[in-house]
Amino acid sequence: MSHPSKHLLAIEGLEPPHIADLLDLAESYALLNRSGKTQRDLLKGRTLINLFFEDSTRTRTSFELAGKRLGADVINMSVSTSSVNKGETLLDTASTLNAMQCDLLVIRHAQSGAPALLSQKVDAAVINAGDGTHEHPTQALLDALTIRRHKGRLEGLVVAICGDITHSRVARSNIHLLTTMGSRVRIVGPPTLIPADAARLGVEVFTDMKKGLEGADVVMMLRLQRERMSGGLVPSAREFFRFYGLDAEKLAVAKPDSIVMHPGPMNRGVEIDSAIADHPTRSVIGEQVEMGVACRMAVLDVLARRLPRNR
Ligand code: ASP
Protein backbone atom coordinates (compact mmCIF):
# COMPACT_ATOMS: atom_id res chain seq x y z
CA MET A 1 0.00 0.00 0.00
CA SER A 2 1.65 3.20 -1.12
CA HIS A 3 0.81 6.62 0.23
CA PRO A 4 3.33 9.41 -0.26
CA SER A 5 2.68 11.44 2.88
CA LYS A 6 1.79 11.36 6.55
CA HIS A 7 -1.29 13.49 5.73
CA LEU A 8 -4.05 13.71 3.12
CA LEU A 9 -4.24 17.41 2.28
CA ALA A 10 -5.06 17.29 -1.44
CA ILE A 11 -5.54 15.03 -4.45
CA GLU A 12 -3.15 17.21 -6.48
CA GLY A 13 0.24 15.55 -6.26
CA LEU A 14 -1.03 11.97 -5.87
CA GLU A 15 0.06 9.55 -8.62
CA PRO A 16 -2.23 6.96 -10.25
CA PRO A 17 -0.95 4.05 -8.07
CA HIS A 18 -1.62 6.01 -4.85
CA ILE A 19 -5.19 6.71 -5.96
CA ALA A 20 -5.77 3.16 -7.22
CA ASP A 21 -4.51 1.68 -3.91
CA LEU A 22 -6.87 3.89 -1.89
CA LEU A 23 -9.81 2.99 -4.13
CA ASP A 24 -9.05 -0.75 -3.94
CA LEU A 25 -8.88 -0.61 -0.16
CA ALA A 26 -12.09 1.46 -0.03
CA GLU A 27 -13.80 -1.14 -2.23
CA SER A 28 -12.91 -3.84 0.30
CA TYR A 29 -14.35 -1.68 3.10
CA ALA A 30 -17.52 -1.13 1.05
CA LEU A 31 -17.99 -4.90 0.83
CA LEU A 32 -17.23 -5.35 4.53
CA ASN A 33 -19.71 -2.61 5.46
CA ARG A 34 -22.42 -4.26 3.37
CA SER A 35 -21.77 -7.60 5.04
CA GLY A 36 -22.38 -6.01 8.45
CA LYS A 37 -18.95 -7.14 9.77
CA THR A 38 -17.56 -3.69 10.27
CA GLN A 39 -15.99 -3.51 13.69
CA ARG A 40 -12.23 -3.90 13.60
CA ASP A 41 -9.47 -3.09 16.04
CA LEU A 42 -7.21 -1.28 13.61
CA LEU A 43 -7.55 2.11 15.34
CA LYS A 44 -7.98 0.83 18.91
CA GLY A 45 -6.32 3.25 21.32
CA ARG A 46 -6.12 5.97 18.65
CA THR A 47 -7.84 9.33 19.01
CA LEU A 48 -9.55 10.91 16.02
CA ILE A 49 -10.68 14.52 16.35
CA ASN A 50 -13.20 16.02 13.94
CA LEU A 51 -12.52 19.76 13.90
CA PHE A 52 -15.15 21.48 11.76
CA PHE A 53 -15.09 25.25 11.36
CA GLU A 54 -17.78 25.05 8.65
CA ASP A 55 -21.11 23.22 8.57
CA SER A 56 -21.22 19.66 7.43
CA THR A 57 -23.65 16.77 7.61
CA ARG A 58 -22.37 13.96 5.43
CA THR A 59 -18.62 14.50 5.79
CA ARG A 60 -18.49 14.88 9.56
CA THR A 61 -20.83 12.00 10.32
CA SER A 62 -19.12 9.70 7.86
CA PHE A 63 -15.68 10.39 9.33
CA GLU A 64 -17.19 9.71 12.75
CA LEU A 65 -18.69 6.44 11.56
CA ALA A 66 -15.50 5.45 9.74
CA GLY A 67 -13.38 6.10 12.85
CA LYS A 68 -15.77 4.19 15.10
CA ARG A 69 -15.99 1.24 12.71
CA LEU A 70 -12.21 0.95 12.91
CA GLY A 71 -12.20 1.15 16.71
CA ALA A 72 -10.91 4.73 17.26
CA ASP A 73 -12.01 7.08 20.05
CA VAL A 74 -13.79 9.82 18.10
CA ILE A 75 -14.27 13.34 19.39
CA ASN A 76 -16.28 16.00 17.55
CA MET A 77 -14.96 19.45 18.39
CA SER A 78 -17.79 21.84 17.90
CA VAL A 79 -16.36 25.20 16.96
CA SER A 80 -19.27 27.24 18.27
CA THR A 81 -18.51 26.06 21.82
CA SER A 82 -14.71 25.92 21.56
CA SER A 83 -12.20 28.64 22.40
CA VAL A 84 -11.83 29.46 18.72
CA ASN A 85 -14.89 31.63 19.15
CA LYS A 86 -13.15 33.30 22.05
CA GLY A 87 -10.34 34.39 19.76
CA GLU A 88 -7.93 31.46 19.97
CA THR A 89 -5.75 31.24 16.87
CA LEU A 90 -5.44 28.16 14.72
CA LEU A 91 -1.91 27.67 16.07
CA ASP A 92 -3.06 27.75 19.70
CA THR A 93 -5.64 25.17 18.73
CA ALA A 94 -2.76 23.08 17.37
CA SER A 95 -0.95 23.09 20.72
CA THR A 96 -4.15 22.05 22.47
CA LEU A 97 -4.57 19.17 20.05
CA ASN A 98 -0.96 18.09 20.59
CA ALA A 99 -1.46 18.13 24.35
CA MET A 100 -4.50 15.88 23.88
CA GLN A 101 -2.32 13.45 21.90
CA CYS A 102 -4.61 13.43 18.94
CA ASP A 103 -3.51 10.82 16.35
CA LEU A 104 -5.77 11.70 13.44
CA LEU A 105 -7.16 15.16 12.83
CA VAL A 106 -9.96 15.75 10.35
CA ILE A 107 -10.35 19.44 9.61
CA ARG A 108 -12.77 21.56 7.58
CA HIS A 109 -12.10 25.28 7.32
CA ALA A 110 -13.36 28.20 5.24
CA GLN A 111 -9.79 29.28 4.50
CA SER A 112 -7.95 27.49 1.68
CA GLY A 113 -4.67 26.17 3.10
CA ALA A 114 -5.74 25.97 6.77
CA PRO A 115 -5.30 22.17 6.98
CA ALA A 116 -1.82 22.43 5.41
CA LEU A 117 -0.84 25.09 7.96
CA LEU A 118 -2.11 23.00 10.83
CA SER A 119 -0.31 19.91 9.52
CA GLN A 120 3.00 21.70 10.09
CA LYS A 121 2.15 22.36 13.74
CA VAL A 122 0.41 19.22 14.99
CA ASP A 123 1.84 15.77 15.63
CA ALA A 124 -1.31 14.14 14.26
CA ALA A 125 -1.90 12.97 10.70
CA VAL A 126 -4.12 15.63 9.14
CA ILE A 127 -6.97 14.95 6.73
CA ASN A 128 -8.45 17.83 4.78
CA ALA A 129 -12.26 17.58 4.93
CA GLY A 130 -12.68 20.67 2.71
CA ASP A 131 -10.74 23.95 2.77
CA GLY A 132 -12.27 27.03 1.19
CA THR A 133 -12.37 26.70 -2.57
CA HIS A 134 -9.19 24.60 -2.63
CA GLU A 135 -9.78 20.85 -2.21
CA HIS A 136 -12.00 18.18 -0.70
CA PRO A 137 -9.93 15.06 -1.32
CA THR A 138 -12.13 12.40 0.31
CA GLN A 139 -15.11 13.63 -1.74
CA ALA A 140 -13.15 13.02 -4.95
CA LEU A 141 -12.16 9.54 -3.74
CA LEU A 142 -15.76 8.58 -2.96
CA ASP A 143 -16.92 9.97 -6.29
CA ALA A 144 -14.26 7.98 -8.15
CA LEU A 145 -15.15 4.80 -6.27
CA THR A 146 -18.84 5.27 -7.12
CA ILE A 147 -17.99 5.84 -10.80
CA ARG A 148 -15.66 2.81 -10.90
CA ARG A 149 -18.33 0.57 -9.38
CA HIS A 150 -20.78 1.56 -12.14
CA LYS A 151 -18.47 1.86 -15.13
CA GLY A 152 -15.73 -0.61 -14.17
CA ARG A 153 -12.98 1.95 -14.88
CA LEU A 154 -12.09 5.64 -14.85
CA GLU A 155 -9.84 5.71 -17.90
CA GLY A 156 -11.42 7.07 -21.08
CA LEU A 157 -14.73 8.04 -19.46
CA VAL A 158 -16.31 11.39 -20.31
CA VAL A 159 -17.21 13.15 -17.06
CA ALA A 160 -19.15 16.44 -17.14
CA ILE A 161 -18.86 18.51 -13.95
CA CYS A 162 -21.59 21.14 -14.04
CA GLY A 163 -22.59 24.33 -12.25
CA ASP A 164 -20.58 26.54 -9.91
CA ILE A 165 -17.05 25.36 -10.69
CA THR A 166 -15.24 28.48 -9.47
CA HIS A 167 -16.26 28.14 -5.83
CA SER A 168 -16.20 24.36 -5.67
CA ARG A 169 -13.44 22.47 -3.88
CA VAL A 170 -15.29 19.30 -4.93
CA ALA A 171 -14.79 20.23 -8.60
CA ARG A 172 -11.10 20.98 -8.06
CA SER A 173 -10.37 17.66 -6.30
CA ASN A 174 -12.40 15.73 -8.86
CA ILE A 175 -10.63 17.39 -11.78
CA HIS A 176 -7.22 16.46 -10.32
CA LEU A 177 -8.24 12.88 -9.58
CA LEU A 178 -10.11 12.14 -12.78
CA THR A 179 -7.55 13.67 -15.15
CA THR A 180 -4.76 11.83 -13.29
CA MET A 181 -6.66 8.55 -13.81
CA GLY A 182 -7.21 9.21 -17.54
CA SER A 183 -10.83 10.40 -17.66
CA ARG A 184 -11.84 13.15 -20.10
CA VAL A 185 -13.20 15.92 -17.91
CA ARG A 186 -15.53 18.66 -19.11
CA ILE A 187 -16.58 21.59 -17.00
CA VAL A 188 -19.95 23.11 -17.80
CA GLY A 189 -21.39 26.34 -16.45
CA PRO A 190 -21.99 30.05 -17.03
CA PRO A 191 -18.82 32.02 -17.87
CA THR A 192 -19.06 33.80 -14.48
CA LEU A 193 -18.68 30.47 -12.66
CA ILE A 194 -15.82 28.98 -14.73
CA PRO A 195 -12.41 29.51 -13.05
CA ALA A 196 -9.89 31.70 -14.83
CA ASP A 197 -7.25 28.93 -14.68
CA ALA A 198 -9.54 26.32 -16.33
CA ALA A 199 -7.19 25.70 -19.26
CA ARG A 200 -4.32 24.82 -16.90
CA LEU A 201 -6.50 22.15 -15.29
CA GLY A 202 -6.55 19.98 -18.42
CA VAL A 203 -10.31 20.10 -18.94
CA GLU A 204 -12.63 21.11 -21.78
CA VAL A 205 -14.85 24.11 -21.02
CA PHE A 206 -18.51 24.38 -22.10
CA THR A 207 -20.95 27.21 -21.45
CA ASP A 208 -23.76 25.48 -23.36
CA MET A 209 -25.03 22.69 -21.14
CA LYS A 210 -26.40 20.44 -23.88
CA LYS A 211 -23.10 20.54 -25.76
CA GLY A 212 -21.26 19.80 -22.54
CA LEU A 213 -23.44 16.80 -21.72
CA GLU A 214 -23.40 15.26 -25.19
CA GLY A 215 -22.17 11.66 -24.94
CA ALA A 216 -21.16 11.98 -21.27
CA ASP A 217 -20.78 8.81 -19.17
CA VAL A 218 -21.04 10.70 -15.90
CA VAL A 219 -22.94 13.92 -15.08
CA MET A 220 -21.85 15.52 -11.81
CA MET A 221 -23.96 18.42 -10.57
CA LEU A 222 -22.76 21.08 -8.12
CA ARG A 223 -24.53 23.52 -5.85
CA LEU A 224 -24.33 27.30 -6.28
CA GLN A 225 -22.01 28.19 -3.39
CA ARG A 226 -23.56 31.56 -2.64
CA GLU A 227 -21.67 31.80 0.67
CA ARG A 228 -18.42 32.11 -1.33
CA MET A 229 -19.71 34.54 -3.98
CA SER A 230 -18.83 38.17 -3.51
CA GLY A 231 -21.39 39.61 -5.93
CA GLY A 232 -24.36 38.55 -8.02
CA LEU A 233 -22.66 36.09 -10.36
CA VAL A 234 -25.88 34.38 -11.38
CA PRO A 235 -29.33 35.64 -12.33
CA SER A 236 -32.33 34.26 -10.43
CA ALA A 237 -32.50 30.60 -9.37
CA ARG A 238 -35.28 30.07 -11.95
CA GLU A 239 -33.15 31.47 -14.72
CA PHE A 240 -30.18 29.34 -13.64
CA PHE A 241 -32.32 26.20 -13.67
CA ARG A 242 -33.52 26.98 -17.18
CA PHE A 243 -30.00 27.09 -18.60
CA TYR A 244 -27.93 24.95 -16.24
CA GLY A 245 -30.34 22.86 -14.14
CA LEU A 246 -30.26 19.14 -14.90
CA ASP A 247 -33.65 17.93 -16.12
CA ALA A 248 -34.78 15.00 -18.29
CA GLU A 249 -34.46 17.00 -21.49
CA LYS A 250 -30.83 17.99 -20.93
CA LEU A 251 -29.89 14.56 -19.57
CA ALA A 252 -31.27 12.98 -22.76
CA VAL A 253 -28.15 14.08 -24.70
CA ALA A 254 -25.78 12.22 -22.34
CA LYS A 255 -25.20 8.46 -22.85
CA PRO A 256 -28.37 6.44 -22.18
CA ASP A 257 -26.59 4.60 -19.35
CA SER A 258 -24.93 7.69 -17.89
CA ILE A 259 -25.03 8.17 -14.12
CA VAL A 260 -25.99 11.33 -12.23
CA MET A 261 -24.02 12.46 -9.18
CA HIS A 262 -24.20 15.25 -6.60
CA PRO A 263 -21.98 15.76 -3.53
CA GLY A 264 -24.80 17.35 -1.51
CA PRO A 265 -26.33 19.44 -0.16
CA MET A 266 -28.68 19.60 -3.15
CA ASN A 267 -30.83 22.53 -4.11
CA ARG A 268 -33.70 20.83 -5.88
CA GLY A 269 -35.14 22.93 -8.66
CA VAL A 270 -31.97 25.07 -8.88
CA GLU A 271 -29.15 22.85 -10.18
CA ILE A 272 -31.10 19.60 -10.34
CA ASP A 273 -34.69 18.56 -10.94
CA SER A 274 -36.15 16.39 -8.17
CA ALA A 275 -37.20 13.66 -10.60
CA ILE A 276 -33.57 13.29 -11.75
CA ALA A 277 -32.12 13.47 -8.22
CA ASP A 278 -34.42 10.60 -7.20
CA HIS A 279 -34.23 8.66 -10.48
CA PRO A 280 -34.15 4.95 -9.58
CA THR A 281 -31.55 3.88 -12.15
CA ARG A 282 -29.62 6.99 -13.18
CA SER A 283 -29.05 8.72 -9.83
CA VAL A 284 -26.21 7.31 -7.69
CA ILE A 285 -26.39 10.07 -5.07
CA GLY A 286 -27.28 7.67 -2.23
CA GLU A 287 -24.44 5.35 -3.16
CA GLN A 288 -22.00 8.29 -3.02
CA VAL A 289 -22.85 8.71 0.65
CA GLU A 290 -22.34 4.98 1.28
CA MET A 291 -18.97 5.05 -0.50
CA GLY A 292 -18.03 8.07 1.62
CA VAL A 293 -17.84 5.91 4.72
CA ALA A 294 -15.79 3.24 2.91
CA CYS A 295 -13.33 5.77 1.46
CA ARG A 296 -12.85 7.50 4.81
CA MET A 297 -12.17 4.13 6.43
CA ALA A 298 -9.53 3.49 3.75
CA VAL A 299 -7.89 6.88 4.31
CA LEU A 300 -7.83 6.45 8.10
CA ASP A 301 -6.42 2.94 7.67
CA VAL A 302 -3.62 4.05 5.32
CA LEU A 303 -2.61 7.04 7.45
CA ALA A 304 -2.80 5.07 10.72
CA ARG A 305 -0.27 2.57 9.34
CA ARG A 306 2.28 5.39 9.20
CA LEU A 307 1.68 6.62 12.76
CA PRO A 308 4.30 5.82 15.40
CA ARG A 309 3.13 2.84 17.52
CA ASN A 310 3.44 4.47 20.95
CA ARG A 311 3.28 8.19 21.31
N1 ASP B 1 -20.42 19.35 0.65
C1 ASP B 1 -19.55 19.85 -0.37
C2 ASP B 1 -18.43 20.71 0.23
O1 ASP B 1 -18.29 20.78 1.43
C3 ASP B 1 -20.25 20.52 -1.48
C4 ASP B 1 -21.08 21.74 -1.12
O2 ASP B 1 -21.05 22.22 0.00
O3 ASP B 1 -21.78 22.19 -2.05
O4 ASP B 1 -17.68 21.30 -0.50
Side-chain angles (χ1 to χ4, degrees):
M1 176 65 54
S2 64
H3 185 72
S5 160
K6 179 182 170 188
H7 310 288
L8 179 66
L9 300 172
I11 294 294
E12 188 173 19
L14 295 184
E15 307 279 345
H18 305 140
I19 294 169
D21 277 356
L22 280 168
L23 294 180
D24 291 344
L25 184 62
E27 175 69 43
S28 69
Y29 277 121
L31 298 176
L32 200 69
N33 286 345
R34 281 197 180 176
S35 76
K37 290 186 236 125
T38 51
Q39 192 59 49
R40 291 186 41 183
D41 282 346
L42 201 80
L43 298 185
K44 202 168 178 337
R46 298 291 192 189
T47 302
L48 183 159
I49 298 187
N50 266 326
L51 182 61
F52 277 64
F53 293 88
E54 269 191 344
D55 290 346
S56 166
T57 342
R58 283 155 294 272
T59 307
R60 195 191 56 71
T61 47
S62 70
F63 267 113
E64 183 174 354
L65 202 52
K68 286 184 171 163
R69 285 194 179 163
L70 295 176
D73 296 322
V74 182
I75 287 145
N76 294 314
M77 263 179 79
S78 153
V79 173
S80 58
T81 56
S82 81
S83 357
V84 176
N85 266 6
K86 298 174 198 149
E88 189 175 281
T89 67
L90 202 54
L91 299 183
D92 290 331
T93 307
S95 345
T96 310
L97 294 169
N98 281 340
M100 286 177 181
Q101 281 152 14
C102 164
D103 297 292
L104 294 147
L105 176 67
V106 177
I107 170 170
R108 168 169 288 190
H109 201 283
Q111 223 65 60
S112 300
L117 175 70
L118 213 50
S119 74
Q120 293 163 19
K121 304 290 171 189
V122 292
D123 301 328
V126 175
I127 301 162
N128 178 5
D131 62 331
T133 58
H134 174 227
E135 280 227 30
H136 190 351
T138 55
Q139 178 73 45
L141 289 168
L142 75 88
D143 289 340
L145 183 60
T146 308
I147 296 172
R148 216 178 64 164
R149 288 171 70 94
H150 282 267
K151 300 290 165 198
R153 67 198 158 97
L154 296 172
E155 202 183 341
L157 293 178
V158 176
V159 182
I161 306 180
C162 312
D164 181 359
I165 313 292
T166 301
H167 303 99
S168 176
R169 53 199 178 202
V170 173
R172 221 158 261 279
S173 286
N174 264 300
I175 289 168
H176 288 306
L177 190 152
L178 293 166
T179 54
T180 303
M181 300 308 275
S183 308
R184 288 172 51 203
V185 180
R186 300 174 180 172
I187 56 177
V188 184
T192 47
L193 297 177
I194 299 284
D197 63 346
R200 188 189 68 85
L201 298 171
V203 298
E204 279 181 275
V205 179
F206 293 82
T207 51
D208 179 322
M209 183 133 173
K210 278 201 181 157
K211 286 194 182 137
L213 294 195
E214 213 177 318
D217 297 285
V218 177
V219 181
M220 189 183 291
M221 300 309 300
L222 300 172
R223 176 177 72 92
L224 288 175
Q225 306 222 337
R226 292 192 190 273
E227 73 275 23
R228 299 190 210 288
M229 293 182 194
S230 44
L233 294 176
V234 276
S236 67
R238 252 181 74 190
E239 192 74 344
F240 184 82
F241 183 73
R242 196 168 139 228
F243 290 102
Y244 295 103
L246 187 65
D247 56 11
E249 195 204 323
K250 296 191 193 84
L251 185 60
V253 302
K255 289 222 179 104
D257 64 347
S258 58
I259 54 170
V260 174
M261 309 180 78
H262 196 305
M266 275 190 280
N267 288 315
R268 292 168 182 262
V270 181
E271 74 273 4
I272 190 163
D273 185 44
S274 255
I276 302 295
D278 300 329
H279 196 284
T281 54
R282 307 291 286 278
S283 168
V284 297
I285 296 168
E287 190 176 334
Q288 285 175 269
V289 179
E290 180 188 354
M291 293 309 125
V293 179
C295 282
R296 285 159 186 142
M297 288 171 84
V299 169
L300 294 176
D301 178 341
V302 164
L303 297 187
R305 291 179 203 197
R306 297 179 63 122
L307 288 171
R309 244 351 294 167
N310 294 307
R311 306 194 329 113

